[in-house]
Amino acid sequence: MSAPTEGILGATRREGKRLMDLWWQEMTEAAQTGRPTAYVFAMGSMAELLRTFDFVLNFPEITSLQIAVRGQSQAYIQAAEDYGFSPDVCGYVKADVGLQLRQGEHPYGRVPRPSLVVTSNVCNTYIKWSEIWEHLYGCPVFVVDLPGWRGRESAALDGETFRNDARYVQGQLQELIGLCEQITGRRFDVDRFREHLAEANRMAELYNAVCETNRHIPAPFNAVVEGVTYQGIAHLYRGSQEGSRYFQQVLQEMQERIRLGMAAVPDERFRLVLVGTTCYSHFRRFVELFASWGGVFVHSTYMVFAGGGFLPGFAYDLSRPLESFAERMVAAAYWGYTGSMFYQQDWLDEVVRRWHVDGICFHGVKSCRTVSTGLPDVREWMRIQRNVPGLFIQSDLVDPRLWSDAQVKNRVDAFFEALAAHKAATRR
């Protein structure tokens, strides 16, 4: 075996940590100086546009996730429930409310107050969540109405309906630009906007190339463990040179791991797809339950619709930046409603074939009905129509009270016993 190329292996982990630390440093400084900060969401962040005005970008889904990974989410959630929020409300929302009630004090730094909130309608919770910040801080909230069409017929992105929807969104973006100019005192610079779009194009190409490396057997990375970092960097540094350089580095490291025969999970036995998220309050345990059987997640739905919205073939047309930006947003909304989020069977069917998948884990999130609806039905469709075994488990995004270790372990162990028998039978 050839010697590892010096400086490549491990570089991704170090650079990912450095970029996360840098983002928290920027957030904490903004909390102290009052630099304009925009609260945005993972799906439809409009980062390229907001960077043009030098907003600091806060992603509350990411800050809530990080609180859970640090094992502190219960205290934040309890503070929100004591304030009056129901146990049924999204765990991300309650962790964030607890954070706001603590004046933004977070395990990694301090979250600044919002100067602007930008959301879309792709998640019903986004709008109600934004109203909380409006109530707490009196900040402006801008809701982008993205037309969504469910069903395979909506896949046509060159028809009259799509063009009309894109013009409708473009009009809203022009209103948003006016609001950003008013808040920051800066004029919209279309050349600078074009530069951010160009960087997003580079990042999208590299991000998708990284996902493709996991088609290799054994898989060079775990789409749950390392994938959550890739998704985070894709959001926080979308449209920036730092983000593009990071994914260039990731791609080089994955290619090096493949060259050296390195596997994300030693003695890989089962290749899996995760539908939904993990339970971040028990992140290590979740991964351990699968890795102990030689199971590796080679892909996940979140790496697609929540991983920056970089659809296959994603590219902005830089000769008409605002029009193209609106078109990509509409296309991402169409994909969200018809692809990996609500009509998962077609996407899963393709991933199972191309990524050589043995089984699918469907994780229902008790405090998020949006992403959990219909998961058992999709599992049955894949089992009956494609002979692909599936596991359905339930816990939560960030609420540790909804994790039952013995129950989850029993289901995971039983799944792998059945999966081993199925795999042996299909090889006959």
Side-chain angles (χ1 to χ4, degrees):
M1 180 182 293
S2 304
T5 303
E6 188 176 353
I8 293 181
L9 298 179
T12 296
R13 183 179 57 79
R14 292 189 296 273
E15 181 63 5
K17 182 180 185 308
R18 188 188 74 80
L19 290 175
M20 280 290 176
D21 290 345
L22 192 62
W23 175 59
W24 270 108
Q25 182 181 338
E26 184 180 50
M27 292 255 283
T28 302
E29 288 175 357
Q32 295 165 347
T33 63
R35 179 180 164 188
T37 300
Y39 281 24
V40 297
F41 294 98
M43 292 188 290
S45 72
M46 282 156 272
E48 298 92 327
L49 180 61
L50 296 170
R51 286 191 195 286
T52 307
F53 292 95
D54 277 336
F55 278 103
V56 175
L57 300 183
N58 174 36
F59 288 80
E61 292 152 299
I62 294 177
T63 58
S64 292
L65 181 160
Q66 290 176 323
I67 290 172
V69 172
R70 287 291 295 264
Q72 300 183 29
S73 53
Q74 185 165 343
Y76 287 78
I77 290 170
Q78 191 62 57
E81 292 181 0
D82 291 345
Y83 189 71
F85 284 84
S86 164
D88 293 334
V89 171
C90 169
Y92 276 166
V93 174
K94 287 188 292 185
D96 175 71
V97 169
L99 177 65
Q100 303 298 337
L101 293 175
R102 294 183 178 204
Q103 311 303 314
E105 292 299 329
H106 188 280
Y108 290 106
R110 190 174 173 195
V111 173
R113 291 187 174 198
S115 309
L116 170 67
V117 175
V118 181
T119 183
S120 70
N121 60 333
V122 290
C123 172
N124 51 348
T125 298
Y126 282 177
I127 297 173
K128 306 307 292 182
W129 196 347
S130 300
E131 289 175 355
I132 296 171
W133 300 319
E134 184 180 36
H135 171 74
L136 290 173
Y137 303 115
C139 56
V141 173
F142 193 95
V143 181
V144 179
D145 181 23
L146 294 175
W149 296 82
R150 296 188 182 183
R152 292 182 177 84
E153 64 276 10
S154 70
L157 299 180
D158 55 356
E160 183 180 358
T161 299
F162 176 76
R163 290 193 295 272
N164 288 337
D165 286 348
R167 279 194 290 270
Y168 172 59
V169 171
Q170 186 181 341
Q172 297 176 68
L173 294 177
Q174 288 167 334
E175 291 181 32
L176 176 60
I177 287 171
L179 181 58
C180 291
E181 289 178 333
Q182 181 183 335
I183 292 171
T184 63
R186 292 170 178 266
R187 296 287 296 173
F188 176 60
D189 184 340
V190 70
D191 291 328
R192 196 168 178 211
F193 179 52
R194 190 179 283 109
E195 290 172 4
H196 290 308
L197 297 184
E199 288 298 339
N201 283 350
R202 278 189 278 276
M203 178 187 278
E205 183 178 353
L206 291 164
Y207 183 93
N208 286 324
V210 168
C211 291
E212 288 283 328
T213 63
N214 246 14
R215 293 177 58 203
H216 186 269
I217 301 174
F221 73 94
N222 191 317
V224 169
V225 181
E226 289 144 304
V228 72
T229 301
Y230 301 160
Q231 293 168 53
I233 299 297
H235 289 303
L236 302 180
Y237 290 89
R238 181 179 177 129
S240 71
Q241 291 182 358
E242 293 97 327
S244 301
R245 280 198 295 266
Y246 173 76
F247 280 102
Q248 181 66 57
Q249 207 168 28
V250 174
L251 181 58
Q252 288 175 345
E253 180 164 346
M254 293 309 117
Q255 290 169 340
E256 183 66 2
R257 290 184 190 182
I258 289 172
R259 187 182 74 81
L260 296 173
M262 297 175 66
V265 172
D267 301 321
E268 175 184 303
R269 292 180 61 201
F270 303 104
R271 297 170 63 82
L272 309 167
V273 176
L274 177 64
V275 176
T277 71
T278 63
C279 179
Y280 293 110
S281 61
H282 290 75
F283 188 54
R284 288 180 182 274
R285 179 59 173 159
F286 188 101
V287 173
E288 177 186 273
L289 289 173
F290 292 87
S292 64
W293 282 88
V296 57
F297 289 100
V298 297
H299 215 328
S300 74
T301 53
Y302 264 55
M303 288 206 72
V304 182
F305 80 81
F310 292 140
L311 313 181
F314 176 100
Y316 293 119
D317 182 349
L318 302 183
S319 67
R320 45 189 194 91
L322 198 59
E323 295 92 329
S324 183
F325 189 64
E327 289 169 358
R328 288 301 94 200
M329 291 190 67
V330 173
Y334 279 19
W335 177 265
Y337 286 124
T338 63
S340 61
M341 190 170 181
F342 288 116
Y343 286 79
Q344 297 164 346
Q345 63 273 17
D346 293 339
W347 180 82
L348 285 171
D349 188 27
E350 180 184 356
V351 170
V352 164
R353 286 186 287 104
R354 295 190 66 230
W355 271 259
H356 315 292
V357 169
D358 299 307
I360 305 171
C361 174
F362 297 85
H363 180 215
V365 176
K366 291 183 178 178
S367 71
C368 183
R369 297 171 186 83
T370 302
V371 299
S372 303
T373 302
L375 293 186
D377 296 328
V378 178
R379 182 185 65 160
E380 283 303 286
W381 192 94
M382 292 300 297
R383 184 183 66 82
I384 295 170
Q385 300 294 329
R386 295 293 183 265
N387 194 27
V388 179
L391 164 70
F392 180 73
I393 54 176
Q394 279 187 298
S395 65
D396 193 62
L397 293 162
V398 294
D399 192 338
R401 299 169 301 182
L402 299 176
W403 173 269
S404 173
D405 193 81
Q407 189 176 64
V408 174
K409 184 177 188 307
N410 283 342
R411 292 188 64 83
V412 171
D413 289 348
F415 171 67
F416 276 114
E417 289 172 2
L419 188 59
H422 179 271
K423 195 169 180 177
T426 54
R427 281 178 176 169
R428 292 195 191 113

